[in-house]
Amino acid sequence: MLVSEQQIDLKLPSVSVKMLIVQPHLDFQIPLQEPFPVRPECRDRLIKVVDNVFSSYGTFSPQLILFPEFALPGVEGVERVAGHMLSNEVASPTVVIGGVLGLSKLEYERLCALPNVANIDPLNAPDRIADGEWVNTWVTFIKDN
């Protein structure tokens, strides 16, 4: 896999950028195995973390929110962030960068098929993933006028 650069036309304040860095506790299934799945109750908690971050958005009004690797629980977590970004409570400009739990080929196909996804570089296309392999990925959301 490779990184595919996408040009964006985003205007952030030139004086400072408010950041919110999220650090949820991860509780992996034991024994540890790839793609490093978390326990079901942890997955539910990670969804609540996403909701809590955006419910307190107005208190901090960050322009950049970072969720570390494995902090977004699969496609459901990505969809949850996307829903919050579409709400009127999130101001422009806001950028969210989030690390997604390891995805199976089918989950990665579902992620790539979501609405408003930038063009996927052919080298990163879901059909390049072999059955039984998994994908470690990040997503970036941008809300701007």
Side-chain angles (χ1 to χ4, degrees):
M1 297 296 156
L2 82 120
V3 174
S4 176
E5 291 185 22
Q6 303 279 331
Q7 184 163 345
I8 57 174
D9 185 19
L10 178 69
K11 307 271 190 267
L12 290 171
S14 60
V15 177
S16 68
V17 174
K18 292 182 190 176
M19 293 177 58
L20 175 60
I21 301 173
V22 183
Q23 188 59 60
H25 172 74
L26 300 175
D27 190 10
F28 293 102
Q29 292 181 14
I30 302 295
L32 279 178
Q33 58 190 352
E34 292 184 356
F36 308 108
V38 294
R39 296 168 47 114
E41 55 273 13
C42 180
R43 189 176 198 84
D44 295 341
R45 188 171 39 77
L46 291 174
I47 288 292
K48 289 178 185 170
V49 166
V50 170
D51 291 340
N52 288 340
V53 164
F54 285 98
S55 70
S56 63
Y57 175 91
T59 303
F60 305 106
S61 300
Q63 288 128 343
L64 178 62
I65 302 172
L66 299 174
F67 288 89
E69 186 173 30
F70 293 108
L72 296 181
V75 178
E76 180 184 3
V78 172
E79 290 174 320
R80 195 65 148 240
V81 172
H84 286 292
M85 290 293 283
L86 291 172
S87 76
N88 290 332
E89 287 133 21
V90 175
S92 295
T94 300
V95 176
V96 176
I97 301 172
V100 183
L101 283 176
L103 299 174
S104 69
K105 178 180 179 172
L106 288 175
E107 291 169 322
Y108 184 61
E109 287 173 348
R110 187 172 150 220
L111 177 71
C112 292
L114 290 176
N116 301 316
V117 171
N119 293 330
I120 305 296
D121 188 291
L123 292 175
N124 292 329
D127 61 0
R128 298 208 25 141
I129 310 300
D131 292 335
E133 288 186 336
W134 62 282
V135 175
N136 187 16
T137 192
W138 288 77
V139 293
T140 304
F141 303 86
I142 300 168
K143 182 169 187 173
D144 195 21
N145 293 333

